[in-house]
């Protein structure tokens, strides 16, 4: 598996067992690789929530620029 496929497979394996979270140094998920991973998970049927503040959560919606082609996420307008 490539690094991206391995990452999403690992998150899915963990999420299949219990609630889990993934994070990184960027505060805003819109400016981070979490946006792409969240798109992948939503496209595969998972529910993803962004926890921006301790008492709130935001449901992730597939990026309007994203397309699902052959079971993969792509962003044709960004090419």
């Amino acid at each position: 598996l490539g690094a991206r496929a391995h990452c999403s497979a690992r998150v899915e394996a963990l999420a299949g067992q219990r609630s889990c979270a993934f994070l990184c140094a960027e505060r805003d998920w819109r400016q981070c690789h979490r946006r792409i991973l969240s798109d992948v998970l939503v496209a595969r049927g998972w529910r993803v929530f962004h926890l921006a503040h301790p008492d709130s959560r935001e449901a992730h919606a597939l990026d309007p620029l994203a397309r699902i082609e052959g079971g993969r996420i792509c962003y044709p307008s960004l090419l």
Side-chain angles (χ1 to χ4, degrees), residues 20 23 25 41 52 55 57 61 63 74:
C20 67
L23 57 132
L41 294 171
D55 56 348
R57 68 182 190 173
D63 187 310
C74 66

Side-chain angles (χ1 to χ4, degrees), residues 33-69:
H33 64 281
R34 292 181 314 229
R35 180 180 203 148
I36 297 169
L37 182 54
S38 296
D39 279 349
V40 169
L41 294 171
V42 165
R44 292 181 181 171
W46 291 93
R47 291 183 309 152
V48 175
F49 296 95
H50 300 285
L51 307 174
H53 302 285
D55 56 348
S56 69
R57 68 182 190 173
E58 177 184 347
H60 183 79
L62 190 64
D63 187 310
L65 300 175
R67 299 291 177 263
I68 302 171
E69 296 179 0

Side-chain angles (χ1 to χ4, degrees), residues 2-39:
R4 285 178 276 173
H6 176 74
C7 180
S8 61
R10 182 72 177 132
V11 170
E12 287 184 279
L14 291 170
Q17 297 171 12
R18 61 186 170 273
S19 295
C20 67
F22 56 95
L23 57 132
C24 68
E26 287 84 3
R27 181 176 183 206
D28 187 356
W29 62 268
R30 293 167 197 86
Q31 304 297 319
C32 174
H33 64 281
R34 292 181 314 229
R35 180 180 203 148
I36 297 169
L37 182 54
S38 296
D39 279 349

